[in-house]
Amino acid sequence: MSGASGGQRWLRILAPLGLGLLLLGGWEAWLRLAGIPPYVVPGPVAIAGALVEDWATLSASLLVTLKITLLALLIAASLGLLLAVLFAQSRLLELSLFPYAVILQVTPVVAIAPLIIIWVDDVTLSLLICAWIVAFFPILSNTTVGLNSTDHNLLDLFRLYGASRWQVLWRLRLPTAMPYFLAGLRISGGLSLIGAIVAEFVLGTGGRASGLAYRILEAGYQLRIPRMFAALVLISGAGIAIFLALSLLSQLLLRRWHESAMERGERR
Amino acid sequence: MQGGDETGSLLVLRGVGKRYATGTLAVQGIDLAVAQGDFLALLGPSGCGKSTLLRLIARLAAPSEGRIDWPHGRPGPRDIGFVFQEPTLMPWATALANVALPLRLAGMPRREAAARAAESLARVELRGFEQAYPRTLSGGMRMRVSIARALVTRPRLLLMDEPFAALDEITRHRLNNDLLALWEAARFTVIFVTHSVFESVYLARRIAVMAPRPGRIHAELGVTAPAPRGEAFRTSAEYAAQCRAVSATLGEAMAVSPA
Ligand SMILES: Nc1ncnc2c1ncn2[C@@H]1O[C@H](COP(=O)(O)OP(=O)(O)OP(=O)(O)O)[C@@H](O)[C@H]1O
Ligand SMILES: [Mg+2]
């Protein structure tokens, strides 16, 4: 790596960081100068204070939300991949099932969450189902497109050498679909978190096993605005972490061959 | 020499025609015998059905009329090598894995397939690039990998569909020479599609000139040249004269109005 692009890399981290600090500082300064109390708009210092003070409760809730989010994402990824593979094997199956996947996708999860809680009668499971519904579709549709994007000449080549259906799937279609699947996964990671939060807002939970959404509602009722913001910060942080982790995964899996995962200078 | 001596033929096309589902009559009434060990060029303008003919021979498509005979037995999946106009490599696999693909598809164990693939890469002068991914190779090198893959099963018949059309002239000349050397050494049968008169005369022992709409064979010409051919042949008067003759035949073929 040359010095110039090494500098680029640092700039990529330092520039947004510097801007962030500047904004936070400006925010705090503005609140103090204008004399706005923290129960109207809390400043970064108050929020950080709430984060530290309520860490035990907040981190437990973060864990609950993360668990639902990641489990929903995992199920969405495996089911989406599996269903896409089945679609690729049978056009009839794709034609008959895909519309229902679309319906599942376009129906607002807020609207079906109450139904789900009636049917399954278990809050955690309901939350999981809601998050899954939101996360499922991008993976399914992306992977389906990927499986159908196989190079025609390569397909001919496999046919020429008498490849079985299974060999075509394993050695050609799935690798072709990999970047599409990973792109879907990155979208679904964020959606899964949103699904988990929104569903909790609608369904509500109480007691020990409540997630961050409940903490926000609770803090709202109690007018503990800094704590509300602290929960918000944790949600955003979790979303960013999920996105970065999935980007890293994608990078690791694709960096040797796919254009999307290459360093800028490496691209042709 | 249509029909000709068919006992030494690897394959014989008899009245072969292909109409696509769209209604396009791509080729019609093709009679062609290809001798074992021959180097045949299919020369014709764009759209005259050269690729279609090659796909029919590779059994990637079925003729809608006529038939293709194989006097010495129908080829199995490993008897035919196919080189496409684009290198058609799997971008996620190394050069070695790409070349080993036909063997792996046939169920050969990984080790053995890798050894054979490495050998095949060495034959196209790509020793040391086994672990390279296609995107890190130049266009010419990618084409070599593609040729190595086609040769790895030691096919009896090598089908090439304008394999060098996308390359620069210097690279094309080099690969022409390499292909000739491989052919001299192993004497598989080659059917080489091209729309370059110069390339066809330089490489082939026989040239089938095709006419368009519907695609058919207008004439077959033999090429006389010293063996082995080399750069000296490319600049000889003999070469120039034959290019001129083939060029004239091609002009004729394109002027003939469809039957
Ligand atoms: N899959 C297909 N479906 C319908 N028509 C086709 C198909 N493939 C080829 N054709 C038609 O058949 C004719 C011959 O096509 P073909 O690709 O064999 O020509 P070609 O000689 O290889 O041309 P080029 O030099 O441009 O590659 C063309 O008119 C083309 O439009
Ligand atoms: Mg063609």
Side-chain angles (χ1 to χ4, degrees):
Chain A
M1 173 148 290
S2 71
S5 63
Q8 274 271 335
R9 173 166 288 188
W10 279 112
L11 202 64
R12 207 181 289 180
I13 298 168
L14 287 179
L17 208 68
L19 182 69
L21 285 176
L22 211 68
L23 285 176
L24 287 179
W27 178 3
E28 186 73 40
W30 171 66
L31 290 179
R32 299 211 166 181
L33 289 177
I36 298 168
Y39 55 83
V40 178
V41 181
V45 175
I47 294 171
L51 207 52
V52 172
E53 194 180 315
D54 297 334
W55 180 247
T57 330
L58 286 177
S59 64
S61 293
L62 174 66
L63 223 57
V64 170
T65 301
L66 269 184
K67 221 155 66 188
I68 289 169
T69 301
L70 295 181
L71 201 58
L73 184 64
L74 192 73
I75 298 171
S78 28
L79 265 185
L81 184 63
L82 187 75
L83 205 58
V85 166
L86 288 178
F87 283 1
Q89 298 304 302
S90 156
R91 186 99 184 106
L92 183 67
L93 200 67
E94 179 179 353
L95 288 177
S96 24
L97 273 182
F98 202 79
Y100 293 100
V102 175
I103 292 173
L104 208 60
Q105 157 75 7
V106 297
T107 311
V109 74
V110 181
I112 33 179
L115 270 180
I116 290 171
I117 187 95
I118 291 171
W119 288 336
V120 297
D121 200 30
D122 176 274
V123 178
T124 310
L125 191 59
S126 305
L127 291 178
L128 197 60
I129 292 174
C130 290
W132 171 79
I133 287 176
V134 185
F136 172 66
F137 189 76
I139 293 178
L140 173 68
S141 82
N142 263 34
T143 313
T144 302
V145 170
L147 287 170
N148 290 327
S149 310
T150 322
D151 181 279
H152 277 271
N153 283 335
L154 273 174
L155 217 50
D156 274 348
L157 192 83
F158 273 66
R159 273 216 291 151
L160 184 76
Y161 289 116
S164 66
R165 243 178 134 80
W166 168 250
Q167 285 175 322
V168 171
L169 176 69
W170 184 248
R171 288 177 175 275
L172 183 56
R173 286 197 196 275
L174 279 176
T176 306
M178 181 75 109
Y180 295 82
F181 168 74
L182 289 169
L185 196 65
R186 272 198 295 186
I187 299 170
S188 291
L191 286 180
S192 177
L193 180 65
I194 293 173
I197 302 276
V198 167
E200 202 186 353
F201 267 122
V202 179
L203 300 178
T205 44
R208 308 197 133 264
S210 43
L212 284 173
Y214 184 78
R215 293 292 161 228
I216 289 179
L217 285 176
E218 187 189 52
Y221 296 141
Q222 299 168 356
L223 274 181
R224 295 165 74 174
I225 307 302
R227 185 175 170 165
M228 205 168 157
F229 271 77
L232 213 56
V233 167
L234 284 182
I235 292 174
S236 303
I240 292 168
I242 290 171
F243 181 80
L244 287 180
L246 292 175
S247 297
L248 188 70
L249 177 75
S250 171
Q251 189 80 16
L252 286 177
L253 288 174
L254 301 181
R255 77 194 142 137
R256 278 191 294 199
W257 66 276
H258 201 259
E259 298 285 340
S260 71
M262 276 178 233
E263 290 286 326
R264 206 168 280 181
E266 251 183 317
R267 243 171 250 185
R268 266 177 297 119
Chain B
M1 67 156 286
Q2 279 171 9
D5 171 26
E6 292 183 4
T7 49
S9 296
L10 179 67
L11 73 153
V12 186
L13 282 74
R14 298 181 206 274
V16 167
K18 173 70 182 177
R19 185 184 288 282
Y20 281 106
T22 52
T24 312
L25 188 57
V27 290
Q28 189 179 37
I30 304 278
D31 291 306
L32 183 70
V34 183
Q36 214 134 186
D38 202 358
F39 198 129
L40 172 75
L42 289 178
L43 176 69
S46 180
C48 73
K50 306 181 295 292
S51 298
T52 301
L53 209 51
L54 224 50
R55 290 172 54 82
L56 291 175
I57 293 170
R59 284 196 284 161
L60 289 171
S64 40
E65 48 188 78
R67 59 176 214 268
I68 302 175
D69 289 333
W70 302 83
H72 299 275
R74 282 166 80 86
R78 291 159 77 173
D79 291 331
I80 297 182
F82 205 118
V83 180
F84 297 87
Q85 180 163 348
E86 273 81 47
T88 314
L89 302 174
M90 302 178 290
W92 55 82
T94 61
L96 190 75
N98 266 293
V99 175
L101 176 77
L103 303 175
R104 298 286 289 144
L105 287 178
M108 188 182 280
R110 188 190 298 271
R111 277 270 182 83
E112 199 184 339
R116 287 267 301 266
E119 212 175 279
S120 199
L121 275 173
R123 278 211 283 168
V124 296
E125 290 164 48
L126 279 180
R127 207 188 296 272
F129 289 96
E130 288 82 3
Q131 299 310 319
Y133 283 82
R135 68 172 183 86
T136 66
L137 300 173
S138 72
M141 289 159 96
R142 274 180 232 166
M143 213 60 227
R144 282 173 203 275
V145 175
S146 182
I147 293 170
R149 178 181 59 196
L151 293 178
V152 77
T153 59
R154 306 205 179 103
R156 284 191 287 152
L157 176 61
L158 183 61
L159 304 173
M160 305 182 92
D161 192 355
E162 304 191 34
F164 309 140
L167 301 177
D168 64 276
E169 191 164 321
I170 298 168
T171 311
R172 190 162 62 234
H173 284 185
R174 252 199 88 185
L175 288 179
N176 279 167
N177 289 335
D178 293 348
L179 176 62
L180 280 177
L182 286 168
W183 179 71
E184 297 281 353
R187 286 295 167 150
F188 38 81
T189 309
V190 182
I191 302 179
F192 188 101
V193 166
T194 179
H195 52 225
S196 159
V197 170
F198 304 107
E199 193 172 48
S200 68
V201 174
Y202 188 68
L203 290 173
R205 304 220 312 187
R206 233 152 41 91
I207 301 172
V209 178
M210 295 183 68
R213 266 172 295 278
R216 59 206 184 280
I217 291 177
H218 174 74
E220 285 184 46
L221 307 165
V223 180
T224 52
R229 299 178 193 192
E231 290 302 327
F233 175 55
R234 212 190 274 284
T235 48
S236 67
E238 217 179 343
Y239 175 70
Q242 293 186 75
C243 286
R244 212 172 304 126
V246 172
S247 218
T249 311
L250 186 63
E252 242 172 59
M254 292 178 67
V256 174
S257 60

